[in-house]
Each structure stands twice: as structure tokens, then as C-alpha cells.
Amino acid sequence: MTRRSCVIYATGIVCAHLLIVGIALVVAQVFQTMIHNRLKKELTLTEASRVFESWKNPPPPVYMEYYFFNVTNPEVFLAGGKAVVTQIGPYTYREYRPRENVTFLENGTKVYALNPKSFVFVPEKSRGNPEVDILRTVNIPAVAVMSELNSYSFLLRTFVSIYMKSIGVEIFMTRTVHEVLWGFKDPLLTKIHSVRPEVDEMFGLMWKKNGTHEGEFVFLTGERDYMEYGRIDTWNGLTEMSWWSSNQSNMINGTDGSVFHPLLSRKELLYIFAADLCRSIHLGYVEDVDVKGIPAYRFAPPHDVLQSPEENPTNAGFCVPAGDCLGTGVLKVSVCREGAPIVVSFPHFYQADDKYINAVDGLHPNKEEHETYLDLNPTTGVPIRACKRAQLNIILNRVPGFPETKHLNEIIFPIMFVNETATIDDDSAAQMRTLLLIVTLVSNFPLLIVGMGAILLIVLVVLVCRSRQKKVRPVLYPCAYYQETPNCFFCIHLTPFARPHSPPISCDSDRWGLY
């Protein structure tokens, strides 16, 4: 066997082995299963996990942007006209949310934690000074008192109305943005506090929320099942709520929005428990996006989350009392706001019925500015970018005994909305890209083997073809004229194409001439 034949046989053997092994690994998905099992083991809320420290102290900065609706014509509105509002802001605060008192329970399958939040004003990301800017908005304490007294006697309501007028309390108030947001001493609440000490005399949308937490959480660590990674087990000791009118509505589903299980699918629904909304919501896949070079799936609340029970019967449980329902796009949360007529929605009543949008001039809902969404890396489940947007509203209607409300028809009046944003920091993004590159290379290693086998197959075909060409002998013709010298010999071809008197040419040593 010649050297060339050995090379051909060796190439063929290696090629066959690579193709067989590579195709077998691709079909069996050995490396993909191996890397997936590794991810499931690494992404758990345990002290040995690589994600535990970032869960305790999230590195990406979180910003809270507060926008307010300033009422420009309160007199016209109280006279029965249409309110006009202008949006002011944002007033941006950096939010810090470390987890404290972290304690593992039940052999490491659960973890207890508090999540206090603190806020620091960021002037360079704000438009205006909250301590200087004046805001005219609905007097929420006054409206809450009127709503509470609606079930009391007309005489009592009239007495309270006279007292409110005597101390200068009206339906609309004028305060600085800082006061409305972080608190001020309200004259009406101060009087109520003197009679009922449990009622706080201070009021602010974020009063007592700077440096405090939203409750005691117990999370599942994902040790038993990777699908349970970060899922809420109990909140304030409860496995379900009791505010709503159906068992399904009272369920505490999903995570707190900071972590999700790895290996996400486009077909699944993700659940988040939002304590500030007093309920769980679900998000569905929207589209593929790219954030800082990291592939991500975008999930957002579908239209049915806040649909009216007429359109989505499963939302009937959020009507309290049962049957007392609002339209699409709004949710009344009085049951968890001490009875105040508070309603939540998406900013500018995005995805809500037109009647809510058209009731006030100055609202312009659009998807780009008012949609809530999460961009999650599907391999790890890590949030790459998040944008949570929610609007606070209050119900205004006519209350007998309060003359100031006599021209009012029921309206859901917008107060403010918040845009809570977070994007992965550059260092974490670089680590994520490196991790995803390793995962891709390991997962696709069988394809690399198949590719090498295909290349060797091409080399093998070339070698075989070249070998066969060298084995084909040329066509030889006898000489018609032959003459030999000491150093060489000459001949004239005897072929059908030979011309008479052709000049002699040199031939091989077998004395046959090449044409």
C-alpha cells in the first residue's frame, strides 16, 4: 500500500467517526442537556450560587421617575366642565433595595428576606425641583373623607362640609411636589387624629415608604425544582390574600419581578406579585430584543390583565363588593388602601376604555412611553431591562351634603404615574455576554464535530479523484520513423493526425511516441 493510499484510508476513517459521533450527539442533545442541567443547578437562591450576591444586592441602578398631572382649570371642572391637566416631571430618584435579614428555611429550600427601599433625588435626571415646583391636584384626604361619609347621615355630612370649609379644605389643593410625594401635615387629618389617634395626621403618596419594606417575603430557592426559582411562597405569612371576591384573584402567584427561572419559553406566561397593586399579574411574550449585545425576550402585560369582567370573566373576582366593577383598563384598590377611592391603571389610561381617556383633556396614551415590560435573557432568566409603569387615580363623584360636589359626575381623575426603570450595568452585561458565549460554544460543540467531519469528507473526495487521475495511462502511438543517438532518440508519430514530413520530437525510453 502506497503512502497516498494510507492517507486516503486514514482520512476516510477519521471523517466517518467524526460524522457518526457528531450526528449522534446532535440527535441525543447530550451537550445541550449537560449545560441546561448546569444552569439549573447554578441558578438557585443558595449561598454557593453565583447569583445569590446579586440577588441580595442588585447591581443595576433602579430609577423612579414621578410624573404629576397639574390641574389648570379646577373652577371650570367643579362647575361641571371638563378638567384640563398638564404633565409635569419627571422627578427622578435613585432607588436602593438591598435585601436584609436573609434567613434560610427548611433545609435551604426556602429563604426569608426583607426588602427595604430608600430613595435619593437625582437632579441631573429630573426636570424641575420638587421642593420648589407647585402642583395643583386633587385633595386626596378630603375626597377620602367625603367618600367614607357617603354612607353616614346627611346631617353629619353637612356638619363636616361646613367644618372643612371653615379651615380652608377644598377638593383641590396646591402644594409643592415634595409635599405631595413625601408628606405634609394635613389640617383635616390632624383634626381626625385628635379624635381617632390611629389615623395619621400626615399625608403623602410616598409617606413612610422611604427606608421601609413592602412586607415579609419567603421565597422558594429552586433547590427542588428550577421552575420554583424565586417564586413567592408567603407574603406577610400569607399564602393567599383575602381582599378580593374569588379564590383565583386572591392567589399570590409568581416572583417579585427581580428573578425568573432559566430556560424561558416564548409560549409561557410569567407571573409577578405586585404588592403595591395588591394582586398578581401575568406577562406574555411580545418580541425578541437586544440589550447591550445580550439577546432577550420582551414580556408585557397582555390586554386581558385589566379587562372588564364582561370581556374577561376571570377578572370578576377583582370587583369588590362582587358585581361592583369598573371598565377595561382600571382596577379599584380601595380594599387595600384603607377604603380610599383609589384606582390604578397604566399611565394616561393606556389600554383603558376611551371614556376614561376622554373624560380629561391632556391625556395621550401610547405604547412607547406607557407600556410596562420586562426584557429577560431566555437562557438564564435574568432581567436585562425592566420598565414598570403605573398610574394612581381617584374616583370623584357627587356626595350629598357637600355642595362643592353638586356638579360632579363620576370620573376617575388622574393624579400621577411612576416609571420605574432598571437596565443591566456594563460590568454585569460583559459577564453575561461571556457566560452566553461559553453556553453557546458548549451547546454547539456537536455541530462543530459535524462540521469538521464534513470538511474531511470534502478532502477525502478530492484525494480520491486525484488518485484516480494519476492511474490513467496516456494514449501512445508507434513511431513511423525512428532514430537513436547516444544521448537521445527521435521519432515521427504514426497517427491519423500526423502531417507528412512532421519534424521529429523526443519520446520516452520505450520508443513509443506521444502525440
Side-chain angles (χ1 to χ4, degrees), residues 53-121:
E53 281 303 318
S54 61
W55 177 77
K56 285 179 61 178
N57 296 286
V62 180
Y63 294 100
M64 302 286 285
E65 297 178 339
Y66 294 97
Y67 296 84
F68 291 86
F69 295 104
N70 186 54
V71 185
T72 60
N73 63 339
E75 297 82 5
V76 173
F77 174 72
L78 292 176
K82 194 174 186 179
V84 178
V85 298
T86 56
Q87 177 179 297
I88 61 174
Y91 301 93
T92 305
Y93 293 79
R94 170 77 184 271
E95 179 182 345
Y96 296 88
R97 44 168 69 187
R99 299 187 193 272
E100 298 179 352
N101 298 350
V102 177
T103 307
F104 289 96
L105 308 172
E106 299 184 19
N107 296 323
T109 60
K110 299 179 182 180
V111 58
Y112 167 92
L114 300 177
N115 193 196
K117 299 178 181 180
S118 57
F119 304 88
V120 177
F121 182 61

Side-chain angles (χ1 to χ4, degrees), residues 254-283:
T255 72
D256 63 352
S258 62
V259 294
F260 295 89
H261 68 81
L263 309 178
L264 294 170
S265 167
R266 293 183 179 91
K267 297 180 180 180
E268 66 180 306
L269 291 177
L270 302 180
Y271 287 87
I272 296 175
F273 174 69
D276 52 346
L277 299 180
C278 312
R279 61 166 290 185
S280 299
I281 64 171
H282 60 273
L283 295 85

Side-chain angles (χ1 to χ4, degrees), residues 291-366:
V291 182
K292 295 187 177 182
I294 302 172
Y297 292 167
R298 173 162 294 182
F299 287 84
H303 189 64
D304 64 355
V305 169
L306 294 180
Q307 273 185 331
S308 66
E310 288 78 12
E311 299 177 86
N312 183 10
T314 58
N315 284 339
F318 295 110
C319 301
V320 178
D324 183 13
C325 306
L326 299 176
T328 292
V330 294
L331 174 68
K332 188 177 180 180
V333 292
S334 303
V335 290
C336 60
R337 291 291 182 268
E338 299 180 356
I342 300 298
V343 173
V344 294
S345 68
F346 294 120
H348 287 244
F349 294 115
Y350 173 67
Q351 291 187 341
D353 288 338
D354 289 341
K355 64 180 180 180
Y356 301 123
I357 302 170
N358 298 330
V360 177
D361 280 342
L363 301 179
H364 308 285
N366 64 82

Side-chain angles (χ1 to χ4, degrees), residues 67-204:
Y67 296 84
F68 291 86
F69 295 104
N70 186 54
V71 185
T72 60
N73 63 339
E75 297 82 5
V76 173
F77 174 72
L78 292 176
K82 194 174 186 179
V84 178
V85 298
T86 56
Q87 177 179 297
I88 61 174
Y91 301 93
T92 305
Y93 293 79
R94 170 77 184 271
E95 179 182 345
Y96 296 88
R97 44 168 69 187
R99 299 187 193 272
E100 298 179 352
N101 298 350
V102 177
T103 307
F104 289 96
L105 308 172
E106 299 184 19
N107 296 323
T109 60
K110 299 179 182 180
V111 58
Y112 167 92
L114 300 177
N115 193 196
K117 299 178 181 180
S118 57
F119 304 88
V120 177
F121 182 61
V122 184
E124 59 270 20
K125 289 183 174 290
S126 303
R127 185 177 297 174
N129 186 340
E131 296 187 357
V132 175
D133 294 352
I134 300 298
L135 172 67
R136 182 181 293 172
T137 187
V138 175
N139 190 335
I140 295 178
V143 172
V145 169
M146 288 190 289
S147 177
E148 179 69 20
L149 293 175
N150 204 18
S151 59
Y152 287 75
S153 68
F154 179 82
L155 184 62
L156 178 61
R157 293 197 298 268
T158 302
F159 174 77
V160 173
S161 174
I162 294 173
Y163 176 77
M164 288 171 58
K165 189 172 183 180
S166 69
I167 61 175
V169 175
E170 300 177 345
I171 291 182
F172 289 93
M173 64 179 179
T174 302
R175 295 277 180 176
T176 65
V177 170
H178 182 83
E179 287 177 321
V180 174
L181 195 57
W182 301 108
F184 61 93
K185 189 174 182 180
D186 182 79
L188 181 59
L189 294 179
T190 300
K191 181 61 178 178
I192 297 174
H193 176 74
S194 64
V195 179
R196 297 175 59 183
E198 68 272 16
V199 176
D200 202 320
E201 60 185 350
M202 300 291 291
F203 172 78

Side-chain angles (χ1 to χ4, degrees), residues 431-457:
Q431 294 176 12
M432 177 66 70
R433 288 193 295 269
T434 302
L435 172 63
L436 294 177
L437 178 61
I438 295 173
V439 169
T440 301
L441 291 176
V442 174
S443 299
N444 293 326
F445 185 70
L447 294 177
L448 180 62
I449 296 176
V450 173
M452 293 173 61
I455 294 173
L456 285 180
L457 179 61

